[in-house]
Amino acid sequence: MTSPADAVESWRLDDQHAIAALVAGRHGDPFSVLGPHASPAGTVLRVLHPHAETAEAIDPESGRTLTKLLRRHARGFFEGLLSKHKSPPRYRLRFSRGDDVWEEEDAYRFPSTFGDLDRHLLGEGRHLRLYEKLGAHPMTCDGMAGTRFAVWAPNASRVSVIGNFNVWDGRHHPMRFHPGIGVWEIFVPGVGRGEVYKFEIIGAHGEILPAKADPLAFKCEVPPATASVVDGLPAHAWEDEGWMKERSARNDRDAPISIYEVHLGSWRRRDDGAYLTYDDLADQLVPYVKDLGFTHIECMPVSEHPFSGSWGYQPIGLYAPTSRFGDPDGFARFVNRCHKEKLGVIIDWVPAHFPSDAHGLVNFDGTALYEHADPRKGFHRDWNTLIYNFGRREVANFLTANALFWLDQYHVDALRVDAVASMLYLDYSRQPGDWEPNIHGGNENLEAIAFLRDTNIALFSHHSGATSAAEESTAFPGVSRPVYAGGLGFGFKWNMGWMHDTLDYIGRDPIHRRHHHDQITFGLHYAFSENFILPLSHDEVVYGKGSLIGRMPGDRWQKFANLRAYLAFMWTHPGKKLLFMGGEFAQEREWNHDWQLDWHHLDDALHCGVCDLLRDLNAIYVNHKALHELDCESDGFEWIDASNPDLSVFIYLRKGTGNAPPVLVACNFTPVVREDYRIGLPRTGRWREILNSDQSQYGGSGVTNGSVNAVEEPWHGRPASASLRLPPLGVVVLSWDQ
């Protein structure tokens, strides 16, 4: 039996190794020692505060001393009997050092806030609302305001949250470990929004790692600072119910989708060179894009990233809108404004790789946790970045939950997934012997393929009307086909082949184009194999490629005529449209992410003419079903004449469903006017010219048609025909009027 004397002493901790580990900041299970614990004598309280000389527990209401704690170790370990009862009273801690006296709440008196279902889903790696459990969440626990911190680090021997609130000392708040799920958690009372923090992690072999930013931080410091910031999930008061109800129709493959791609940091700057804020962009960018008639804005990556020169394509804070332009609610206000103006919002999403900055995901818990340990699978030589281990269920969960996070928390309408080709192939940009085949001996990355399919299934299942687009540069089959049909499940795919072929064609001197006629026609052989977006993206105006207008041949007038003709060809070609900022007014210099676009160009008539043309192209694209309704169906396109390479003329018909009037397009890619050029047509009657890229208001020569009357004279294998004037380096668009 235990004697009364033994009971009195039974509350004392005799495990000197545990005490030594605690004061050294190396104890892997601090909640088993610290805080209130039942003992035969009652409730014993153990406290660690490395900077205190005395400690006592006090009544939080009256301030009277409940018990003075015995200093068991000179480096701040205290212990005492709090109560003779096993149910501890409410208490608060009071410390002193010299003349300094201060009070704190005890983080170790609060229980875990993880429920059984959360632990189950986290353990299985299928918690699609991962962001509700991991990260930093301001909350109230047992009547006390504070923040719950939680991070996945299964191979760490100790994890602490550090910040100004504990002088960045990892001995203060070592976290509770959940061994079944590999997650560390702690509720720190008194810590609220705006506090900066990181995690101090000790690896499995005792090594202290560089302080890590929170992989699920919802806000980060403005780079080059690297700490995470307590902010919680967005609590924006959304006003976009109308948009969300009609979003499905606006994102569908039969909808007009015309995308303005923008880099938020270099679209426009303030007079002093500073970035525009999210609110500035809502006030300036949104009405500008709306006026031009685009249907969507695509933002290059907005996730936090340490190096501005990566343009966001090497992110570390996947769950945090970059602080360069303001706080997270500012980004929500930007999206809300877009939706109120009937503009969809697409963001570039980068699940393919991440940078090796020490504060990021690399070697996160002392092991290759997020990345593949094998550099043949885990290292991108092209970009000196690390590749996610898509086959690890927790990593795939982290990424899929992030995709859903942007749609759920920020009402984003679509994700454009970057560098998909690099994910699909194990030998992507690798030499023989520098990659490992899959289990079937092939080069397909089966784990990445499964991840992409699962993510698209989750996206379309949980967010009605949202969609996805893949930047995929190979002929991988079924990128934009449903998963149940063997595809990857994307809503759309960027048509990189069309972009390369047609840009090469239009960049040639017209006299040589006759020898490259197939660069215009070849794309129609596969135009309907996927749901394509035609991209003239930022990648086409960097790395010495020059601007779009800079690629055009000829004198200044011809350069602008070529660009106008090319844009008109693109907007009437099957496929959704994407244009990078500056292309709408023919920016002359190559894009520079460190400065704004050259807005002074709009003082020039030829530059303004391209802008006016884009506005009118968007208008006819939206207003004429024949130009968008069957963008992804072969029934929506018909060649009238693609066999005239000597004249570099292309004539085709665009069609919609039902009673939608057909639209005829005639392209003349030479600087020669073609008078009385007879064109076969499917119907007699009046055909009205709804656009001509050579109109004088665009800076053209004014070779136009007005309206033409198609008569019963067979031509080009059609029952009717009409005679047109084909303008030099121009495109004519006609709509059947009766």
Side-chain angles (χ1 to χ4, degrees), residues 228-280:
S228 305
V229 181
V230 175
D231 199 60
L233 290 171
H236 185 72
W238 292 96
E239 304 170 306
D240 62 349
E241 296 86 355
W243 168 268
M244 298 299 281
K245 289 179 181 178
E246 61 187 41
R247 178 171 72 175
S248 180
R250 293 179 178 270
N251 278 346
D252 199 71
R253 63 203 295 270
D254 66 0
I257 296 178
S258 175
I259 304 164
Y260 186 79
E261 185 192 24
V262 62
H263 178 257
L264 297 180
S266 59
W267 178 72
R268 193 189 291 273
R269 295 284 183 95
R270 292 183 173 180
D271 291 341
D272 62 358
Y275 291 128
L276 297 183
T277 66
Y278 290 121
D279 290 315
D280 293 332

Side-chain angles (χ1 to χ4, degrees), residues 506 510 513 555 557-566 568 647-649 666-675 689 692-696 699-705 724-732:
I506 202 67
R513 288 174 180 166
D555 58 27
W557 186 92
Q558 289 180 334
K559 284 179 179 290
F560 279 88
N562 272 299
L563 181 58
R564 291 194 305 270
Y566 182 56
L647 299 185
S648 297
V649 168
C667 307
N668 176 18
F669 288 123
T670 66
V672 178
V673 178
R674 309 290 177 188
E675 298 284 0
E689 190 172 69
N692 186 319
S693 68
D694 192 49
Q695 288 176 234
S696 56
S701 60
V703 177
T704 59
N705 292 275
L724 296 183
R725 304 178 73 206
L726 299 188
L729 299 173
V731 172
V732 174

Side-chain angles (χ1 to χ4, degrees), residues 151-447:
V151 64
W152 179 58
N155 303 302
S157 61
R158 189 268 282 164
V159 179
S160 295
V161 60
I162 55 176
N164 292 329
F165 50 87
N166 60 18
V167 295
W168 298 91
D169 187 336
R171 294 173 296 174
H172 278 279
H173 291 108
M175 303 169 76
R176 172 191 286 111
F177 184 55
H178 295 273
I181 58 177
V183 170
W184 301 77
E185 173 212 12
I186 192 170
F187 174 79
V188 182
V191 171
R193 283 179 169 82
E195 291 276 8
V196 295
Y197 70 99
K198 284 186 176 180
F199 295 113
E200 183 180 275
I201 299 176
I202 298 179
H205 303 294
E207 71 280 17
I208 297 181
L209 304 175
K212 295 290 188 177
D214 186 352
L216 275 92
F218 305 123
K219 183 178 180 181
C220 301
E221 287 188 298
V222 180
T226 58
S228 305
V229 181
V230 175
D231 199 60
L233 290 171
H236 185 72
W238 292 96
E239 304 170 306
D240 62 349
E241 296 86 355
W243 168 268
M244 298 299 281
K245 289 179 181 178
E246 61 187 41
R247 178 171 72 175
S248 180
R250 293 179 178 270
N251 278 346
D252 199 71
R253 63 203 295 270
D254 66 0
I257 296 178
S258 175
I259 304 164
Y260 186 79
E261 185 192 24
V262 62
H263 178 257
L264 297 180
S266 59
W267 178 72
R268 193 189 291 273
R269 295 284 183 95
R270 292 183 173 180
D271 291 341
D272 62 358
Y275 291 128
L276 297 183
T277 66
Y278 290 121
D279 290 315
D280 293 332
L281 291 160
D283 291 338
Q284 298 179 40
L285 174 63
V286 172
Y288 177 79
V289 175
K290 178 71 173 178
D291 174 69
L292 287 173
F294 287 93
T295 64
H296 293 67
I297 293 177
E298 179 173 323
C299 300
M300 291 167 65
V302 296
S303 297
E304 195 58 84
H305 48 284
F307 177 47
S308 295
S310 77
W311 314 329
Y313 290 103
Q314 294 191 12
I316 282 182
L318 278 182
Y319 285 80
T322 178
S323 295
R324 289 167 174 83
F325 315 122
D327 62 14
D329 196 60
F331 179 68
R333 291 192 296 272
F334 170 77
V335 175
N336 193 63
R337 180 73 66 86
C338 288
H339 287 175
K340 291 174 74 172
E341 296 297 330
K342 305 299 183 184
L343 287 170
V345 177
I346 305 168
I347 62 168
D348 282 11
W349 185 54
V350 189
H353 62 137
F354 59 91
S356 58
D357 297 64
H359 69 282
L361 299 180
V362 58
N363 198 39
F364 188 78
D365 64 356
T367 68
L369 185 64
Y370 285 89
E371 69 272 30
H372 267 285
D374 186 344
R376 293 176 299 174
K377 289 186 175 181
F379 184 69
H380 257 309
R381 291 187 176 177
D382 289 356
W383 306 315
N384 291 321
T385 54
L386 300 170
I387 302 169
Y388 288 102
N389 184 350
F390 301 109
R392 184 162 191 165
R393 64 182 188 273
E394 298 95 340
V395 175
N397 190 177
F398 168 77
L399 293 169
T400 299
N402 180 245
L404 300 181
F405 167 82
W406 289 102
L407 278 65
D408 179 48
Q409 298 295 310
Y410 288 105
H411 288 204
V412 164
D413 302 294
L415 300 178
R416 175 269 194 186
V417 183
D418 182 64
V420 171
S422 75
M423 301 170 67
L424 296 177
Y425 300 101
L426 295 166
D427 61 346
Y428 180 87
S429 196
R430 294 181 185 273
Q431 298 299 316
D434 194 28
W435 61 280
E436 185 179 30
N438 62 36
I439 58 173
H440 305 298
N443 67 340
E444 298 87 0
N445 189 332
L446 303 179
E447 297 167 344

